[in-house]
Amino acid sequence: MLSCFLLYSVYVVLLGTKLDKSIEINAAYIGSDQKYTSEEKLALDKFREMVSSFSYLDYQSENGYLINWLKHKNMDLQAAAKAFKASMQWRKENDIDNILQDKELIKMKKSYPSTFGKAVDKKGHPASEMSYSSWNFRRAVLAGKRDQVIRLMISAYEQMTTIAREMGTYKYVSLTDMQGYNKRDHGCLLCIPILVNATMTFENNYPNSMSKIIAINTPRLYGSVFDLLRTFMGQETKQALNFFGSNKNEWQPFLLNLFSKEQLPIHFGGTRTS
């Protein structure tokens, strides 16, 4: 989940130089695509102080990161702080900070491929790309790799939020091709807990970090699974959902309104071949 290009905050250190006191520079507000209201800025300052004792990485004090937590909890400072603290504990207990270097997961990616950050939408949000035809949840469970597949999905969240953060946007687009989805390999009783776990983990630890969640070639039989997963989603996640059937005349114009054609791979209606 590594960088594509940088729109980071600029930190200036001036020694022995006098600054114009009429110019106030708050580095936390620089380098983000977020626009904050005065109420949000005040809430961010309070929230940052509230979570400072249990945030432990530099980016965890950045406004673009913190605002996602606040909006996830409808700007309720206490609720957001409680959720933030629980997530920091989860990260430590599950060694999330080192998940991208996990050698077992790196090997697994060959059997469960996804693409990260090759496409960037017109607003500067990077995209993840995944095809259900390449993922077989049932096979993973029967092979005793259920927990590894869940951890692989978590690593995808971590990679994409890292890419987005390094691009200064703090949000990304999820693109999924549902062609190949079937109840046996993806919607079976052994498979559903993987999807539920992944959904809950995203909501609890990567809130409000997807600007759009787009699926194409969605079969009707996915409906019951989708209805179940929606019950674990926050309001902002539900608002990001955009599911399409197999009619390319419906989903391609939607995607091309968000992305330049050369950014998207051919199976998502673009011209990119890599």
Side-chain angles (χ1 to χ4, degrees), residues 195-227:
L195 298 174
V196 170
N197 189 303
T199 302
M200 293 178 66
T201 298
F202 175 82
E203 291 295 329
N204 292 335
N205 301 286
Y206 303 93
N208 203 26
S209 59
M210 291 188 191
S211 61
K212 297 286 184 186
I213 302 170
I214 304 167
I216 63 173
N217 298 316
T218 309
R220 289 185 178 180
L221 57 84
Y222 181 69
S224 58
V225 175
F226 178 64
D227 288 342

Side-chain angles (χ1 to χ4, degrees), residues 15-221:
L15 296 176
T17 303
K18 292 182 179 180
L19 289 176
D20 183 346
K21 291 183 179 179
S22 67
I23 302 174
E24 294 184 1
I25 300 176
N26 185 342
Y29 291 102
I30 300 175
S32 170
D33 68 353
Q34 302 281 357
K35 297 184 184 301
Y36 305 106
T37 65
S38 57
E39 291 81 6
E40 287 174 340
K41 288 180 181 180
L42 180 61
L44 279 164
D45 289 339
K46 290 181 179 179
F47 186 51
R48 182 181 298 102
E49 187 168 345
M50 290 174 68
V51 301
S52 62
S53 62
F54 37 84
S55 59
Y56 59 95
L57 295 173
D58 288 345
Y59 75 83
Q60 292 164 355
S61 65
E62 294 172 2
N63 284 342
Y65 182 74
L66 295 177
I67 196 68
N68 284 345
W69 288 95
L70 285 171
K71 289 186 174 181
H72 181 58
K73 294 298 182 181
N74 298 312
M75 304 305 289
D76 183 325
L77 289 168
Q78 295 296 333
K82 183 179 179 180
F84 186 100
K85 183 178 181 180
S87 180
M88 296 304 104
Q89 186 63 33
W90 169 83
R91 291 186 68 87
K92 292 177 181 179
E93 291 175 353
N94 293 279
D95 196 24
I96 301 301
D97 297 325
N98 296 309
I99 197 169
L100 300 185
Q101 289 75 48
D102 188 317
K103 292 181 180 178
E104 184 177 1
L105 295 184
I106 292 171
K107 273 187 191 176
M108 283 187 70
K109 288 179 180 180
K110 295 178 181 178
S111 300
Y112 299 89
S114 295
T115 301
F116 304 111
K118 283 192 175 181
V120 179
D121 74 8
K122 295 174 183 178
K123 291 185 177 181
H125 300 132
S128 65
E129 302 160 26
M130 176 261 197
S131 296
Y132 258 85
S133 59
S134 301
W135 287 61
N136 190 315
F137 297 137
R138 182 174 181 274
R139 183 177 61 201
V141 173
L142 294 177
K145 294 185 176 182
R146 172 187 172 275
D147 291 345
Q148 290 94 319
V149 168
I150 292 173
R151 192 165 171 81
L152 184 63
M153 296 173 82
I154 294 171
S155 77
Y157 301 151
E158 187 71 12
Q159 187 164 354
M160 282 310 305
T161 51
T162 300
I163 291 173
R165 186 173 66 250
E166 291 179 349
M167 293 173 65
T169 176
Y170 302 94
K171 289 182 181 290
Y172 69 95
V173 179
S174 171
L175 298 175
T176 302
D177 186 352
M178 298 287 292
Q179 188 164 4
Y181 175 91
N182 62 81
K183 279 192 174 182
R184 180 179 183 274
D185 296 327
H186 308 108
C188 66
L189 292 177
L190 295 173
C191 308
I192 299 301
I194 293 177
L195 298 174
V196 170
N197 189 303
T199 302
M200 293 178 66
T201 298
F202 175 82
E203 291 295 329
N204 292 335
N205 301 286
Y206 303 93
N208 203 26
S209 59
M210 291 188 191
S211 61
K212 297 286 184 186
I213 302 170
I214 304 167
I216 63 173
N217 298 316
T218 309
R220 289 185 178 180
L221 57 84

Side-chain angles (χ1 to χ4, degrees), residues 72 199 203 213 222 226 228-238 241 243:
H72 181 58
T199 302
E203 291 295 329
I213 302 170
Y222 181 69
F226 178 64
L228 171 65
L229 296 180
R230 275 177 60 91
T231 64
F232 298 99
M233 295 177 184
Q235 188 58 37
E236 70 282 351
T237 303
K238 292 177 183 176
L241 295 170
F243 277 65

